Amino acid sequence: MSTLDRARRSLKAHPLALDAALAAGVLVCMVAGSFVVPRGANGVTWGVRTPDPLSLVLMVLGAAALVFRRRAPRTVLAVTGTLSVVESVTGDPRAPVAMSAVVALFTVAATTDRTTTVRVGLLTMTVLTAAAVLGGTLPWYAQENLGVLAWTGIGATAGDAVRSRRAVVRAIRERAERAERTREEEARRRVAEERLRIARDLHDVVAHHIALVNVQAGVAAHVMDKRPDQAKEALAHVREASRSALNELRATVGLLRQTGDPAAPTEPAPGLGLLEELADTFRSAGLPVEVARADHGTRLPAAVDLAAYRIVQEALTNVRKHAGTGARAEVSVVRVGADIEVTVLDDGAGEAAAPEAGGGHGLLGMRERVTALGGTLTTGPRYGGGFRVHAILPVDTHTDTHTDPHTGTGTDRRTETGDGARDETRTTAPGEPV
């Protein structure tokens, strides 16, 4: 944020201070203008005369009234207008007390409607101009008299323009907020309708088939001893009903999955406890992997444990795919303070073919996992060849992400595809030391 923006916000937060500063500025301008002698021999001349005591008092009172222009704009206009009339009648030459009335008229026009602005503006222009024409010794067409008419008109017009602009900006902002609320409400309505439809479908499937299974199981239990053939027939109906229920449930749940989503595994979610087994799978595939751990038996939260495992799995998959033949990989897990740091290095030259266009979301998936847990991820080429993946994960994470123990995915993360590419976004430039 720039210094100008901070100053603007500070002034908006303290409007009374802003009005006091404005009043001080107006007072300075009025006092400076009181030294101008507009009736010299050759037109306007500058002098060093001291303003009359009454004029000085009127200028101070007019400026002081402007401090309260936001709280009572019409009252301030009445006060400054009265002071301007008094100066027009008594001052010779006059001091520019009318400047405070112009500012007060601007405030009234900026804070009221156009009808009020026209009425109040015409009244102020008429009274001040009449006082200047009738109360002074100059002819009615003198520049001072016409200046009062012009400046009051400018004040009312400028205030009305500011009010109109504020109204337009407010209307645009309200339309944007209303449109955003409408989109959110529409999204919530569709989600609620979809949930209701799915609940209705599941209820129909479960209620119908479970009731049928219950009836047929009761029949089988009743005739098991006396009529075993009938019991077998009832059990066959139970099996058929359960198979039909499973098929319909699978079809209903399948509507919630996107194309290409992996099937949910039944085993528990993996973690760093299976790191050696993971490394062995890559060793058996021909990739030498060295594992070094210095986490001192740290017990990780389930979400962090799963994320660390997936990061190592995806990084080693990338090494196997893209590092080229003869590459070696190193995996290190280190506890540093309140964080766990996972690093995967390889010394490959990247001789393998580039991944096909449109594929490769591994690095993006890793970054989403780390970001969801409040950590940081650094990926990029190593100095001298190879690639480096470095993740810092907080051990005591407070993320609201819910991790599914079967799929290993969270409600605010995309599904891991496992086909990462080395050509995705990197945080270091090629050839830069990592």
Side-chain angles (χ1 to χ4, degrees):
M1 183 184 299
S2 64
T3 304
L4 182 60
D5 292 336
R6 287 196 295 268
R8 186 181 296 111
R9 289 191 176 185
S10 178
L11 291 176
K12 288 184 177 180
H14 303 84
L16 188 62
L18 177 60
D19 291 338
L22 175 64
V26 172
L27 178 61
V28 171
C29 292
M30 289 190 296
V31 172
S34 65
F35 289 95
V36 176
V37 182
R39 296 191 299 275
N42 299 319
V44 177
T45 60
W46 285 89
V48 292
R49 70 177 182 87
T50 301
D52 296 333
L54 179 59
S55 298
L56 186 59
V57 171
L58 294 177
M59 287 185 289
V60 172
L61 292 177
L66 293 180
V67 177
F68 309 98
R69 68 186 186 94
R70 296 178 192 263
R71 299 183 179 181
R74 299 189 186 186
T75 302
V76 171
L77 176 61
V79 171
T80 55
T82 301
L83 296 176
S84 300
V85 170
V86 172
E87 175 62 20
S88 297
V89 174
T90 60
D92 187 24
R94 301 168 189 159
V97 180
M99 184 180 297
S100 60
V102 171
V103 176
L105 179 59
F106 169 87
T107 304
V108 172
T111 55
T112 58
D113 56 276
R114 179 161 295 175
T115 302
T116 303
T117 299
V118 172
R119 293 176 180 175
V120 175
L122 289 177
L123 178 62
T124 304
M125 293 169 60
T126 302
V127 171
L128 294 185
T129 304
V133 172
L134 300 178
T137 59
L138 300 176
W140 67 268
Y141 54 85
Q143 184 177 358
E144 290 184 42
N145 300 335
L146 297 181
V148 172
L149 177 66
W151 280 109
T152 50
I154 291 174
T157 303
D160 184 72
V162 170
R163 180 197 57 78
S164 300
R165 181 182 179 278
R166 290 175 180 172
V168 171
V169 172
R170 190 183 307 112
I172 294 175
R173 184 181 296 111
E174 290 176 354
R175 283 198 298 269
E177 294 174 352
R178 186 164 54 250
E180 184 66 23
R181 288 195 301 268
T182 301
R183 285 195 297 269
E184 294 176 353
E185 292 171 358
E186 179 67 16
R188 286 194 295 266
R189 183 186 65 81
R190 292 185 178 182
V191 169
E193 291 178 354
E194 185 66 11
R195 287 177 176 174
L196 181 61
R197 185 192 65 79
I198 294 172
R200 188 186 305 115
D201 292 343
L202 291 176
H203 174 270
D204 293 341
V205 170
V206 173
H208 171 71
H209 291 288
I210 295 301
L212 181 60
V213 167
N214 181 64
V215 172
Q216 295 296 338
V219 171
H222 181 69
V223 301
M224 180 67 69
D225 296 331
K226 297 181 180 180
R227 294 190 292 275
D229 292 338
Q230 188 174 353
K232 290 181 180 180
E233 183 180 354
L235 291 177
H237 286 302
V238 169
R239 183 175 60 183
E240 184 64 27
S242 61
R243 181 186 298 112
S244 178
L246 288 175
N247 290 335
E248 293 190 31
L249 284 174
R250 187 179 297 109
T252 302
V253 176
L255 296 176
L256 303 179
R257 293 186 175 276
Q258 298 179 356
T259 303
D261 283 353
T266 57
E267 67 272 15
L272 291 179
L274 302 176
L275 186 57
E276 281 294 340
E277 298 180 14
L278 177 64
D280 287 339
T281 60
F282 285 93
R283 293 185 186 115
S284 62
L287 174 64
V289 180
E290 296 182 6
V291 178
R293 300 191 64 173
D295 48 352
H296 310 296
T298 302
R299 185 177 180 84
L300 299 177
V304 176
D305 201 16
L306 175 63
Y309 179 89
R310 294 300 187 194
I311 289 170
V312 174
Q313 182 184 44
E314 184 59 40
L316 291 178
T317 301
N318 286 346
V319 174
R320 183 69 182 87
K321 286 183 177 181
H322 310 298
T325 58
R328 302 175 61 88
E330 299 177 6
V331 179
S332 65
V333 180
V334 182
R335 174 68 184 270
V336 180
D339 300 325
I340 194 82
E341 296 189 9
V342 180
T343 306
V344 180
L345 307 174
D346 70 83
D347 57 357
E351 298 172 355
E356 293 84 353
H361 298 282
L363 294 182
L364 179 61
M366 284 191 282
R367 193 173 303 280
E368 290 175 347
R369 287 182 184 275
V370 173
T371 303
L373 294 173
T376 58
L377 178 71
T378 304
T379 61
R382 299 174 61 194
Y383 181 76
F387 200 80
R388 177 177 182 264
V389 175
H390 180 68
I392 301 177
L393 300 172
V395 175
D396 298 326
T397 177
H398 298 285
T399 179
D400 293 332
T401 303
H402 172 72
T403 303
D404 192 311
H406 296 296
T407 62
T409 58
T411 56
D412 60 345
R413 296 198 299 270
R414 303 180 187 175
T415 303
E416 184 69 26
T417 60
D419 58 346
R422 301 172 70 87
D423 291 341
E424 292 184 354
T425 305
R426 297 173 177 172
T427 58
T428 56
E432 180 181 353
V434 178

